[in-house]
Amino acid sequence: MATSRPEIDPGIFTSPKYAADPYPTLKLLRDHYPVYEIPQMGIWMISRYEDVVNAFKDTENFSASPNGLSIGAVFGPTLMEYDGQEHTKLRNIVAPEFVGLKLKALLPVVTRNTMALIEKFTATQAQRIAASAAESGEIDIVDDFATRLPLNVILDVLDLPQEAHEMFHQWYPAMMNGINGGPELRARGVAANAEYHAYLDPLIDARATNPGDDLLSRLAVAEVDGQRMTKEEIKSFASLILVAGAETTDKAIANLWYQLLANPEQWQAVQQDPELLERAFTEMMRIHPPAAGQMRRAIRDVPMYDQVIPAGALVSLSIYGGNRDDRVFRDPDRFDLLREDLYFGKELRSGYHQDGKASHLGFGLGKHFCVGYQLARAETVIGTRKLMEVIKNPRFKPGTHPTPIAIRVEPWSLPLQFDLQ
């Protein structure tokens, strides 16, 4: 006897409840509606791990062009929205700057910026504690640390003055909110991006003539098959790396701290062996990564599960859904840096799924695999390790209701208290 499927209210996808905790709904989708049309949003959602993996890799049926509707609308054209030869040309120019041996030169930058932030944070907290006569220290992991570290690193990578940090700290959230926000937020994002591009214009001209060893110079003079990036492409990529690089890393740092402190036994494990932070990062990227999913457009009719995703339809590849698929990961809602069914090695563009282990999907897969993945991992792990050396016995600030950052635009915080001695 056939069992009836539970009903899903399509309105859930635009509700605060879903924004705060989408996982119960995603489980219903995986179990009963692995391909689901959300009529009022004009989007089809794919939520099972294997299906998400296959769609990421299937460039014959799914195009990355929808990124131009959100990211491109604020930044201008970027490699995230290109397919085929255009994407390959741009990726061949920029990807080497973020992977392999190139990263070794950036590690001191990560460490230096981390320690500078910690020193500033320590002084700031001492002043606040003295002023309030508090018995313990406080830090907002988001505002005081996570959002500032990656911005400082990016300023160094582009060889821009650290004095410009506050200006960039204003541009970055405006641009980020403009990607997924309404018309007013979109307009602010476009305006912030225009200011950023105006700031970069003379710098790109100067470095094309007299290049240094920074990324901006390398982008200005790099060639693939005799072609260089245009000035507009360089500026758009600089926007992408400012927001995508910083946004990925700041959420990764904050969500890692949330998961560790929400699971005290895991916190104790990394305290005893800081090398486990690498595994903790990987497990965080599985259980609650910075990006909920990626958008694609169906190039042609795509049959799946007795349904047909029509040509031209927008398709959401749910990273959140795939990463918590119990067909792949046991007890998927539990944060466990020692789990045996997750691949803990270096992230692979092609993914990993064999010997009973599968990779997380937090950086995407295939052609549009995140080019900054190693930098994000290094910043998060090094930054967390250095901060752990300074703050003792951290815990969520009483009276707060900490959660990992989810699908939201409004400001987010993660205030902690810690012992001074």
mmCIF file of all heavy atoms in Angstrom, residues 47-89:
data_model
loop_
_atom_site.group_PDB
_atom_site.id
_atom_site.type_symbol
_atom_site.label_atom_id
_atom_site.label_comp_id
_atom_site.label_asym_id
_atom_site.label_seq_id
_atom_site.Cartn_x
_atom_site.Cartn_y
_atom_site.Cartn_z
ATOM 1 N N SER A 47 18.160 18.552 -3.842
ATOM 2 C CA SER A 47 18.595 18.532 -2.446
ATOM 3 C C SER A 47 19.366 17.289 -2.014
ATOM 4 O O SER A 47 19.924 17.273 -0.914
ATOM 5 C CB SER A 47 17.381 18.695 -1.517
ATOM 6 O OG SER A 47 16.388 17.720 -1.813
ATOM 7 N N ARG A 48 19.391 16.225 -2.822
ATOM 8 C CA ARG A 48 20.140 15.031 -2.424
ATOM 9 C C ARG A 48 21.605 15.150 -2.841
ATOM 10 O O ARG A 48 21.923 15.697 -3.906
ATOM 11 C CB ARG A 48 19.519 13.776 -3.031
ATOM 12 C CG ARG A 48 18.192 13.392 -2.398
ATOM 13 C CD ARG A 48 17.661 12.091 -2.988
ATOM 14 N NE ARG A 48 16.370 11.730 -2.391
ATOM 15 C CZ ARG A 48 15.616 10.712 -2.791
ATOM 16 N NH1 ARG A 48 16.045 9.939 -3.797
ATOM 17 N NH2 ARG A 48 14.462 10.462 -2.197
ATOM 18 N N TYR A 49 22.481 14.582 -2.032
ATOM 19 C CA TYR A 49 23.924 14.712 -2.239
ATOM 20 C C TYR A 49 24.339 14.309 -3.656
ATOM 21 O O TYR A 49 24.993 15.088 -4.370
ATOM 22 C CB TYR A 49 24.677 13.867 -1.198
ATOM 23 C CG TYR A 49 26.179 13.977 -1.275
ATOM 24 C CD1 TYR A 49 26.873 14.899 -0.494
ATOM 25 C CD2 TYR A 49 26.919 13.159 -2.124
ATOM 26 C CE1 TYR A 49 28.258 15.003 -0.555
ATOM 27 C CE2 TYR A 49 28.301 13.255 -2.200
ATOM 28 C CZ TYR A 49 28.967 14.172 -1.408
ATOM 29 O OH TYR A 49 30.343 14.267 -1.486
ATOM 30 N N GLU A 50 23.996 13.094 -4.055
ATOM 31 C CA GLU A 50 24.446 12.603 -5.355
ATOM 32 C C GLU A 50 23.915 13.457 -6.499
ATOM 33 O O GLU A 50 24.621 13.721 -7.482
ATOM 34 C CB GLU A 50 24.017 11.140 -5.549
ATOM 35 C CG GLU A 50 24.670 10.159 -4.591
ATOM 36 C CD GLU A 50 26.169 9.990 -4.835
ATOM 37 O OE1 GLU A 50 26.680 10.513 -5.858
ATOM 38 O OE2 GLU A 50 26.824 9.345 -4.008
ATOM 39 N N ASP A 51 22.674 13.915 -6.375
ATOM 40 C CA ASP A 51 22.087 14.738 -7.431
ATOM 41 C C ASP A 51 22.754 16.106 -7.501
ATOM 42 O O ASP A 51 22.975 16.646 -8.590
ATOM 43 C CB ASP A 51 20.589 14.890 -7.195
ATOM 44 C CG ASP A 51 19.841 13.565 -7.236
ATOM 45 O OD1 ASP A 51 20.286 12.662 -7.970
ATOM 46 O OD2 ASP A 51 18.835 13.439 -6.518
ATOM 47 N N VAL A 52 23.072 16.681 -6.340
ATOM 48 C CA VAL A 52 23.758 17.969 -6.314
ATOM 49 C C VAL A 52 25.145 17.833 -6.937
ATOM 50 O O VAL A 52 25.572 18.671 -7.743
ATOM 51 C CB VAL A 52 23.847 18.510 -4.877
ATOM 52 C CG1 VAL A 52 24.723 19.764 -4.820
ATOM 53 C CG2 VAL A 52 22.458 18.828 -4.332
ATOM 54 N N VAL A 53 25.866 16.767 -6.565
ATOM 55 C CA VAL A 53 27.192 16.520 -7.127
ATOM 56 C C VAL A 53 27.119 16.416 -8.648
ATOM 57 O O VAL A 53 27.886 17.046 -9.380
ATOM 58 C CB VAL A 53 27.807 15.235 -6.531
ATOM 59 C CG1 VAL A 53 29.032 14.793 -7.340
ATOM 60 C CG2 VAL A 53 28.196 15.454 -5.082
ATOM 61 N N ASN A 54 26.173 15.623 -9.137
ATOM 62 C CA ASN A 54 26.053 15.429 -10.584
ATOM 63 C C ASN A 54 25.702 16.722 -11.294
ATOM 64 O O ASN A 54 26.227 17.003 -12.385
ATOM 65 C CB ASN A 54 25.002 14.358 -10.875
ATOM 66 C CG ASN A 54 25.441 12.971 -10.437
ATOM 67 O OD1 ASN A 54 26.628 12.695 -10.324
ATOM 68 N ND2 ASN A 54 24.478 12.095 -10.161
ATOM 69 N N ALA A 55 24.827 17.524 -10.690
ATOM 70 C CA ALA A 55 24.435 18.784 -11.332
ATOM 71 C C ALA A 55 25.594 19.772 -11.357
ATOM 72 O O ALA A 55 25.760 20.516 -12.335
ATOM 73 C CB ALA A 55 23.232 19.383 -10.599
ATOM 74 N N PHE A 56 26.405 19.812 -10.285
ATOM 75 C CA PHE A 56 27.581 20.679 -10.280
ATOM 76 C C PHE A 56 28.492 20.373 -11.465
ATOM 77 O O PHE A 56 29.060 21.270 -12.084
ATOM 78 C CB PHE A 56 28.377 20.500 -8.984
ATOM 79 C CG PHE A 56 28.038 21.487 -7.901
ATOM 80 C CD1 PHE A 56 27.679 21.045 -6.635
ATOM 81 C CD2 PHE A 56 28.093 22.850 -8.139
ATOM 82 C CE1 PHE A 56 27.374 21.946 -5.622
ATOM 83 C CE2 PHE A 56 27.791 23.760 -7.138
ATOM 84 C CZ PHE A 56 27.432 23.314 -5.879
ATOM 85 N N LYS A 57 28.637 19.088 -11.767
ATOM 86 C CA LYS A 57 29.580 18.672 -12.804
ATOM 87 C C LYS A 57 28.983 18.688 -14.206
ATOM 88 O O LYS A 57 29.723 18.629 -15.192
ATOM 89 C CB LYS A 57 30.091 17.257 -12.490
ATOM 90 C CG LYS A 57 30.865 17.165 -11.176
ATOM 91 C CD LYS A 57 31.298 15.725 -10.908
ATOM 92 C CE LYS A 57 32.085 15.600 -9.623
ATOM 93 N NZ LYS A 57 32.517 14.205 -9.353
ATOM 94 N N ASP A 58 27.663 18.781 -14.283
ATOM 95 C CA ASP A 58 26.972 18.645 -15.566
ATOM 96 C C ASP A 58 26.829 20.004 -16.258
ATOM 97 O O ASP A 58 25.797 20.676 -16.151
ATOM 98 C CB ASP A 58 25.593 18.014 -15.333
ATOM 99 C CG ASP A 58 24.863 17.731 -16.628
ATOM 100 O OD1 ASP A 58 25.407 18.016 -17.706
ATOM 101 O OD2 ASP A 58 23.717 17.224 -16.552
ATOM 102 N N THR A 59 27.860 20.389 -16.978
ATOM 103 C CA THR A 59 27.823 21.684 -17.675
ATOM 104 C C THR A 59 27.095 21.590 -19.011
ATOM 105 O O THR A 59 26.886 22.611 -19.669
ATOM 106 C CB THR A 59 29.255 22.205 -17.905
ATOM 107 O OG1 THR A 59 30.010 21.223 -18.642
ATOM 108 C CG2 THR A 59 29.940 22.471 -16.574
ATOM 109 N N GLU A 60 26.709 20.376 -19.411
ATOM 110 C CA GLU A 60 25.932 20.224 -20.638
ATOM 111 C C GLU A 60 24.473 20.596 -20.410
ATOM 112 O O GLU A 60 23.794 21.084 -21.325
ATOM 113 C CB GLU A 60 26.023 18.780 -21.140
ATOM 114 C CG GLU A 60 27.417 18.347 -21.548
ATOM 115 C CD GLU A 60 27.941 19.164 -22.722
ATOM 116 O OE1 GLU A 60 27.157 19.407 -23.664
ATOM 117 O OE2 GLU A 60 29.123 19.549 -22.695
ATOM 118 N N ASN A 61 23.984 20.384 -19.181
ATOM 119 C CA ASN A 61 22.576 20.632 -18.883
ATOM 120 C C ASN A 61 22.339 21.832 -17.970
ATOM 121 O O ASN A 61 21.228 22.358 -17.918
ATOM 122 C CB ASN A 61 21.957 19.391 -18.230
ATOM 123 C CG ASN A 61 21.754 18.260 -19.217
ATOM 124 O OD1 ASN A 61 21.181 18.442 -20.284
ATOM 125 N ND2 ASN A 61 22.248 17.074 -18.877
ATOM 126 N N PHE A 62 23.378 22.240 -17.220
ATOM 127 C CA PHE A 62 23.199 23.324 -16.250
ATOM 128 C C PHE A 62 24.249 24.406 -16.456
ATOM 129 O O PHE A 62 25.447 24.135 -16.444
ATOM 130 C CB PHE A 62 23.285 22.784 -14.818
ATOM 131 C CG PHE A 62 22.213 21.788 -14.475
ATOM 132 C CD1 PHE A 62 22.487 20.424 -14.459
ATOM 133 C CD2 PHE A 62 20.920 22.214 -14.187
ATOM 134 C CE1 PHE A 62 21.501 19.497 -14.152
ATOM 135 C CE2 PHE A 62 19.925 21.297 -13.884
ATOM 136 C CZ PHE A 62 20.209 19.946 -13.864
ATOM 137 N N SER A 63 23.783 25.635 -16.622
ATOM 138 C CA SER A 63 24.663 26.780 -16.837
ATOM 139 C C SER A 63 24.783 27.608 -15.558
ATOM 140 O O SER A 63 23.825 27.738 -14.789
ATOM 141 C CB SER A 63 24.097 27.674 -17.949
ATOM 142 O OG SER A 63 24.747 28.928 -17.980
ATOM 143 N N ALA A 64 25.976 28.193 -15.334
ATOM 144 C CA ALA A 64 26.207 29.051 -14.172
ATOM 145 C C ALA A 64 25.799 30.496 -14.423
ATOM 146 O O ALA A 64 26.038 31.355 -13.572
ATOM 147 C CB ALA A 64 27.679 28.997 -13.771
ATOM 148 N N SER A 65 25.166 30.769 -15.538
ATOM 149 C CA SER A 65 24.818 32.149 -15.894
ATOM 150 C C SER A 65 23.947 32.878 -14.876
ATOM 151 O O SER A 65 24.016 34.112 -14.808
ATOM 152 C CB SER A 65 24.121 32.178 -17.260
ATOM 153 O OG SER A 65 22.923 31.418 -17.238
ATOM 154 N N PRO A 66 23.106 32.181 -14.047
ATOM 155 C CA PRO A 66 22.298 32.939 -13.078
ATOM 156 C C PRO A 66 23.107 33.765 -12.086
ATOM 157 O O PRO A 66 22.567 34.695 -11.476
ATOM 158 C CB PRO A 66 21.504 31.844 -12.348
ATOM 159 C CG PRO A 66 21.373 30.756 -13.342
ATOM 160 C CD PRO A 66 22.683 30.764 -14.071
ATOM 161 N N ASN A 67 24.399 33.447 -11.901
ATOM 162 C CA ASN A 67 25.201 34.278 -11.016
ATOM 163 C C ASN A 67 25.251 35.719 -11.488
ATOM 164 O O ASN A 67 25.469 36.629 -10.702
ATOM 165 C CB ASN A 67 26.624 33.711 -10.898
ATOM 166 C CG ASN A 67 26.666 32.454 -10.050
ATOM 167 O OD1 ASN A 67 26.139 32.409 -8.958
ATOM 168 N ND2 ASN A 67 27.288 31.412 -10.576
ATOM 169 N N GLY A 68 25.035 35.919 -12.793
ATOM 170 C CA GLY A 68 25.007 37.278 -13.309
ATOM 171 C C GLY A 68 23.804 38.065 -12.838
ATOM 172 O O GLY A 68 23.808 39.297 -12.862
ATOM 173 N N LEU A 69 22.747 37.354 -12.390
ATOM 174 C CA LEU A 69 21.548 38.038 -11.915
ATOM 175 C C LEU A 69 21.735 38.614 -10.520
ATOM 176 O O LEU A 69 21.018 39.533 -10.126
ATOM 177 C CB LEU A 69 20.365 37.061 -11.902
ATOM 178 C CG LEU A 69 20.001 36.409 -13.227
ATOM 179 C CD1 LEU A 69 18.877 35.400 -13.024
ATOM 180 C CD2 LEU A 69 19.620 37.459 -14.253
ATOM 181 N N SER A 70 22.661 38.078 -9.740
ATOM 182 C CA SER A 70 22.869 38.537 -8.369
ATOM 183 C C SER A 70 24.244 39.147 -8.202
ATOM 184 O O SER A 70 24.390 40.358 -8.054
ATOM 185 C CB SER A 70 22.682 37.367 -7.394
ATOM 186 O OG SER A 70 23.511 36.276 -7.749
ATOM 187 N N ILE A 71 25.278 38.303 -8.286
ATOM 188 C CA ILE A 71 26.639 38.803 -8.140
ATOM 189 C C ILE A 71 26.981 39.768 -9.265
ATOM 190 O O ILE A 71 27.494 40.863 -9.030
ATOM 191 C CB ILE A 71 27.627 37.624 -8.111
ATOM 192 C CG1 ILE A 71 27.391 36.775 -6.855
ATOM 193 C CG2 ILE A 71 29.068 38.103 -8.145
ATOM 194 C CD1 ILE A 71 28.200 35.504 -6.813
ATOM 195 N N GLY A 72 26.678 39.369 -10.502
ATOM 196 C CA GLY A 72 27.007 40.229 -11.635
ATOM 197 C C GLY A 72 26.266 41.547 -11.633
ATOM 198 O O GLY A 72 26.764 42.554 -12.137
ATOM 199 N N ALA A 73 25.058 41.557 -11.061
ATOM 200 C CA ALA A 73 24.291 42.804 -11.018
ATOM 201 C C ALA A 73 24.954 43.853 -10.141
ATOM 202 O O ALA A 73 24.745 45.047 -10.336
ATOM 203 C CB ALA A 73 22.880 42.520 -10.498
ATOM 204 N N VAL A 74 25.755 43.419 -9.173
ATOM 205 C CA VAL A 74 26.461 44.352 -8.290
ATOM 206 C C VAL A 74 27.882 44.602 -8.775
ATOM 207 O O VAL A 74 28.359 45.731 -8.818
ATOM 208 C CB VAL A 74 26.493 43.814 -6.838
ATOM 209 C CG1 VAL A 74 27.293 44.746 -5.931
ATOM 210 C CG2 VAL A 74 25.068 43.672 -6.307
ATOM 211 N N PHE A 75 28.606 43.521 -9.181
ATOM 212 C CA PHE A 75 30.033 43.633 -9.486
ATOM 213 C C PHE A 75 30.353 43.832 -10.950
ATOM 214 O O PHE A 75 31.476 44.177 -11.298
ATOM 215 C CB PHE A 75 30.762 42.352 -9.051
ATOM 216 C CG PHE A 75 30.606 42.013 -7.602
ATOM 217 C CD1 PHE A 75 30.692 40.709 -7.175
ATOM 218 C CD2 PHE A 75 30.368 42.988 -6.658
ATOM 219 C CE1 PHE A 75 30.546 40.381 -5.839
ATOM 220 C CE2 PHE A 75 30.210 42.674 -5.330
ATOM 221 C CZ PHE A 75 30.302 41.369 -4.921
ATOM 222 N N GLY A 76 29.385 43.529 -11.853
ATOM 223 C CA GLY A 76 29.738 43.408 -13.249
ATOM 224 C C GLY A 76 30.125 41.969 -13.533
ATOM 225 O O GLY A 76 30.116 41.116 -12.651
ATOM 226 N N PRO A 77 30.484 41.633 -14.770
ATOM 227 C CA PRO A 77 30.791 40.247 -15.132
ATOM 228 C C PRO A 77 31.964 39.685 -14.334
ATOM 229 O O PRO A 77 32.982 40.348 -14.170
ATOM 230 C CB PRO A 77 31.151 40.342 -16.626
ATOM 231 C CG PRO A 77 30.514 41.611 -17.092
ATOM 232 C CD PRO A 77 30.584 42.555 -15.916
ATOM 233 N N THR A 78 31.803 38.458 -13.822
ATOM 234 C CA THR A 78 32.874 37.768 -13.114
ATOM 235 C C THR A 78 32.930 36.334 -13.617
ATOM 236 O O THR A 78 32.001 35.851 -14.275
ATOM 237 C CB THR A 78 32.641 37.738 -11.595
ATOM 238 O OG1 THR A 78 31.549 36.854 -11.314
ATOM 239 C CG2 THR A 78 32.321 39.113 -11.044
ATOM 240 N N LEU A 79 34.017 35.624 -13.279
ATOM 241 C CA LEU A 79 34.161 34.252 -13.767
ATOM 242 C C LEU A 79 33.091 33.325 -13.215
ATOM 243 O O LEU A 79 32.878 32.238 -13.731
ATOM 244 C CB LEU A 79 35.558 33.717 -13.468
ATOM 245 C CG LEU A 79 36.059 33.619 -12.027
ATOM 246 C CD1 LEU A 79 35.571 32.338 -11.367
ATOM 247 C CD2 LEU A 79 37.579 33.645 -12.007
ATOM 248 N N MET A 80 32.366 33.732 -12.142
ATOM 249 C CA MET A 80 31.354 32.860 -11.559
ATOM 250 C C MET A 80 30.166 32.646 -12.489
ATOM 251 O O MET A 80 29.438 31.662 -12.357
ATOM 252 C CB MET A 80 30.872 33.414 -10.217
ATOM 253 C CG MET A 80 31.902 33.319 -9.116
ATOM 254 S SD MET A 80 31.234 33.794 -7.529
ATOM 255 C CE MET A 80 30.144 32.394 -7.197
ATOM 256 N N GLU A 81 29.960 33.567 -13.431
ATOM 257 C CA GLU A 81 28.778 33.438 -14.288
ATOM 258 C C GLU A 81 29.110 32.944 -15.687
ATOM 259 O O GLU A 81 28.212 32.701 -16.489
ATOM 260 C CB GLU A 81 28.045 34.781 -14.389
ATOM 261 C CG GLU A 81 28.832 35.847 -15.148
ATOM 262 C CD GLU A 81 28.201 37.219 -15.002
ATOM 263 O OE1 GLU A 81 28.391 37.852 -13.960
ATOM 264 O OE2 GLU A 81 27.504 37.640 -15.951
ATOM 265 N N TYR A 82 30.396 32.807 -16.000
ATOM 266 C CA TYR A 82 30.774 32.382 -17.338
ATOM 267 C C TYR A 82 30.794 30.874 -17.461
ATOM 268 O O TYR A 82 31.076 30.155 -16.515
ATOM 269 C CB TYR A 82 32.161 32.926 -17.704
ATOM 270 C CG TYR A 82 32.220 34.414 -17.980
ATOM 271 C CD1 TYR A 82 33.270 35.186 -17.496
ATOM 272 C CD2 TYR A 82 31.238 35.035 -18.735
ATOM 273 C CE1 TYR A 82 33.337 36.548 -17.748
ATOM 274 C CE2 TYR A 82 31.292 36.398 -18.999
ATOM 275 C CZ TYR A 82 32.348 37.152 -18.502
ATOM 276 O OH TYR A 82 32.414 38.490 -18.756
ATOM 277 N N ASP A 83 30.540 30.382 -18.677
ATOM 278 C CA ASP A 83 30.685 28.975 -19.008
ATOM 279 C C ASP A 83 31.691 28.865 -20.147
ATOM 280 O O ASP A 83 32.067 29.853 -20.773
ATOM 281 C CB ASP A 83 29.342 28.370 -19.454
ATOM 282 C CG ASP A 83 28.303 28.428 -18.340
ATOM 283 O OD1 ASP A 83 28.602 27.950 -17.245
ATOM 284 O OD2 ASP A 83 27.204 28.958 -18.586
ATOM 285 N N GLY A 84 32.118 27.659 -20.404
ATOM 286 C CA GLY A 84 32.926 27.394 -21.584
ATOM 287 C C GLY A 84 34.250 28.125 -21.617
ATOM 288 O O GLY A 84 34.937 28.293 -20.618
ATOM 289 N N GLN A 85 34.635 28.613 -22.820
ATOM 290 C CA GLN A 85 35.960 29.175 -23.030
ATOM 291 C C GLN A 85 36.177 30.471 -22.247
ATOM 292 O O GLN A 85 37.283 30.747 -21.787
ATOM 293 C CB GLN A 85 36.188 29.422 -24.527
ATOM 294 C CG GLN A 85 36.261 28.139 -25.344
ATOM 295 C CD GLN A 85 36.539 28.416 -26.809
ATOM 296 O OE1 GLN A 85 36.495 29.553 -27.269
ATOM 297 N NE2 GLN A 85 36.817 27.350 -27.560
ATOM 298 N N GLU A 86 35.121 31.296 -22.086
ATOM 299 C CA GLU A 86 35.279 32.543 -21.328
ATOM 300 C C GLU A 86 35.673 32.241 -19.889
ATOM 301 O O GLU A 86 36.569 32.878 -19.323
ATOM 302 C CB GLU A 86 33.977 33.351 -21.353
ATOM 303 C CG GLU A 86 33.671 33.998 -22.682
ATOM 304 C CD GLU A 86 32.375 34.792 -22.603
ATOM 305 O OE1 GLU A 86 31.364 34.217 -22.142
ATOM 306 O OE2 GLU A 86 32.383 35.964 -22.990
ATOM 307 N N HIS A 87 35.005 31.255 -19.279
ATOM 308 C CA HIS A 87 35.313 30.882 -17.897
ATOM 309 C C HIS A 87 36.724 30.313 -17.799
ATOM 310 O O HIS A 87 37.491 30.666 -16.898
ATOM 311 C CB HIS A 87 34.306 29.843 -17.398
ATOM 312 C CG HIS A 87 34.607 29.346 -16.028
ATOM 313 N ND1 HIS A 87 35.429 28.264 -15.807
ATOM 314 C CD2 HIS A 87 34.223 29.791 -14.806
ATOM 315 C CE1 HIS A 87 35.537 28.061 -14.504
ATOM 316 N NE2 HIS A 87 34.823 28.966 -13.878
ATOM 317 N N THR A 88 37.087 29.444 -18.735
ATOM 318 C CA THR A 88 38.409 28.816 -18.704
ATOM 319 C C THR A 88 39.509 29.857 -18.817
ATOM 320 O O THR A 88 40.518 29.794 -18.108
ATOM 321 C CB THR A 88 38.536 27.794 -19.845
ATOM 322 O OG1 THR A 88 37.516 26.806 -19.697
ATOM 323 C CG2 THR A 88 39.902 27.118 -19.817
ATOM 324 N N LYS A 89 39.329 30.834 -19.707
ATOM 325 C CA LYS A 89 40.347 31.874 -19.880
ATOM 326 C C LYS A 89 40.578 32.634 -18.585
ATOM 327 O O LYS A 89 41.721 32.806 -18.122
ATOM 328 C CB LYS A 89 39.919 32.864 -20.977
ATOM 329 C CG LYS A 89 40.959 33.960 -21.233
ATOM 330 C CD LYS A 89 40.398 35.084 -22.091
ATOM 331 C CE LYS A 89 39.519 36.016 -21.277
ATOM 332 N NZ LYS A 89 39.134 37.242 -22.022
#
